[in-house]
Amino acid sequence: MNHDIVLQVLDACDARRAERRAFMKNAGLAAAGASMLAACSGGNDGPGSMITPTPTPTPSPTPTPTSSLTDQDVLNFALNLEYLEAQFYSFAATGASLPASMLSGTGQAGAPNGGRQVQFKDAAVARYAREIAGDEQAHVAFLRSALGSVAVAQPDLDLSADVNGAFSTAARAAGLVGANQAFDPYASDENFLLAAFIFEDVGVSAYKGASPLITNKTYLEAAAGILAAEAYHAGLIRTTLYRKGLTTPSLIDATEAISNARDSLDGPSDLDQGVRPIGNATNIVPTDSNGVAFSRSAGQVLNIAYLNKASVDRGGFFPRGVNGTIKLSAAN
């Protein structure tokens, strides 16, 4: 291919992403998102607040150097994330937790708090939820089998719709609800999809970011397989939100607001996109200017999971932190 053409294509991609971000800065998404989320409750204290940082633990923990991590460390980090996703989807699809036999292991054993079944109105969304729930449970089982006796236990998970819970905190940070208002991820098909959107893109970027740390080819192939499954899930959630957003535009606005909130946590790089169309094309697959999916470090993933841009070891969806060697978010 001609070198000048390559440069033109890359410049066009960069311009497209810059255009999207410029639009979002002036879009005023808070009002649109708030009007869409009918399942919110609470006061009238004005626009959505920023995420309140969790106090830094004392003494402050020290990050584990990447060079000293083992394949087991990386897989256990992934297992923590799979517990979160599997439990969310299990409750949303069936109203029940994963079996207790799948939750034991090393570290501080915890429990899922607040999950419940969604009363789906859209039969397709209900079927999607059941399929993803089955896949995520299989991921947990597979990683636990690969790790054997060193598999970490499920830590405490906040899956609640409480006004002070992780979902509500994330929604307020995105401007979807106001101060002292709650976001209920189980109240409707649309709320479920937005809650799933919080997880899925992060899961894809987490596996991609972790893959260079895995040395065993068997483990690497397995991680690549899970990455592919997570990418299918993310694409499905994004496509469904886009389709519903054609008749309810505030849903598309909400994905952009969540994307911007995630980017505010994981550092200065732009590692996120919502589903707003660009030009005459959709934006179902979030990629960089080379058409490559984004990567996040483990610390950046935990920034989002803990809902904190500081270097901490707990908070958000993991109230007491994750189990294993990798547990500290990045300092952003």
Side-chain angles (χ1 to χ4, degrees):
M1 180 179 290
N2 183 280
H3 179 68
D4 291 337
I5 295 177
V6 174
L7 292 179
Q8 290 171 15
V9 170
L10 295 181
D11 287 344
C13 291
D14 289 339
R16 188 179 74 167
R17 286 172 52 71
E19 174 187 351
R20 181 182 67 83
R21 283 299 175 194
F23 176 87
M24 290 310 303
K25 288 181 180 178
N26 299 293
L29 296 178
S35 66
M36 182 274 299
L37 297 172
C40 302
S41 62
N44 55 0
D45 295 336
S49 61
M50 295 301 292
I51 294 175
T52 302
T54 303
T56 302
T58 303
S60 180
T62 302
T64 302
T66 300
S67 59
S68 68
L69 294 175
T70 67
D71 288 352
Q72 291 177 343
D73 294 330
V74 176
L75 293 184
N76 265 321
F77 175 68
L79 179 56
N80 281 280
L81 303 180
E82 294 293 350
Y83 282 136
L84 175 62
E85 288 192 318
Q87 290 286 38
F88 169 68
Y89 285 114
S90 181
F91 276 108
T94 71
S97 168
L98 297 183
S101 60
M102 297 184 67
L103 307 180
S104 61
T106 64
Q108 198 170 42
N113 173 49
R116 74 175 195 275
Q117 190 168 10
V118 178
Q119 300 303 309
F120 292 104
K121 305 298 184 185
D122 186 327
V125 175
R127 288 177 178 272
Y128 297 157
R130 289 192 289 271
E131 178 182 359
I132 297 175
D135 289 344
E136 298 297 352
Q137 181 169 335
H139 291 170
V140 170
F142 174 79
L143 288 172
R144 287 175 57 86
S145 176
L147 286 161
S149 62
V150 299
V152 295
Q154 177 202 268
D156 278 336
L157 303 176
D158 183 357
L159 303 175
S160 73
D162 186 80
V163 67
N164 295 315
F167 280 116
S168 296
T169 302
R172 282 195 296 272
L176 302 185
V177 297
N180 299 323
Q181 289 186 319
F183 173 77
D184 185 348
Y186 312 102
S188 67
D189 296 39
E190 291 73 22
N191 281 20
F192 162 76
L193 289 167
L194 289 174
F197 178 75
I198 294 174
F199 295 140
E200 288 298 343
D201 285 353
V202 179
V204 173
S205 62
Y207 274 101
K208 183 170 180 289
S211 59
L213 304 177
I214 300 175
T215 58
N216 182 290
K217 290 186 178 180
T218 300
Y219 288 163
L220 180 58
E221 181 182 10
I226 297 178
L227 168 58
E230 297 292 352
Y232 277 119
H233 296 165
L236 176 61
I237 296 298
R238 293 173 68 91
T239 300
T240 306
L241 282 166
Y242 174 74
R243 175 175 59 81
K244 288 181 174 292
L246 294 177
T247 55
T248 310
S250 55
L251 274 173
I252 293 177
D253 292 343
T255 68
E256 296 291 340
I258 292 170
S259 169
N260 287 340
R262 289 188 302 218
D263 261 332
S264 74
L265 292 171
D266 64 10
S269 298
D270 182 0
L271 299 177
D272 224 301
Q273 297 173 15
V275 302
R276 181 178 300 285
I278 301 171
N280 62 355
T282 59
N283 192 33
I284 300 304
V285 183
T287 63
D288 64 16
S289 58
N290 296 313
V292 177
F294 300 111
S295 296
R296 283 186 173 93
S297 68
Q300 290 175 312
V301 171
L302 289 175
N303 286 130
I304 298 171
Y306 294 162
L307 300 178
N308 198 319
K309 66 187 298 181
S311 179
V312 298
D313 66 357
R314 67 194 65 198
F317 294 99
F318 294 97
R320 292 196 296 170
V322 297
N323 285 320
T325 303
I326 304 172
K327 59 180 61 180
L328 188 66
S329 58
N332 297 319

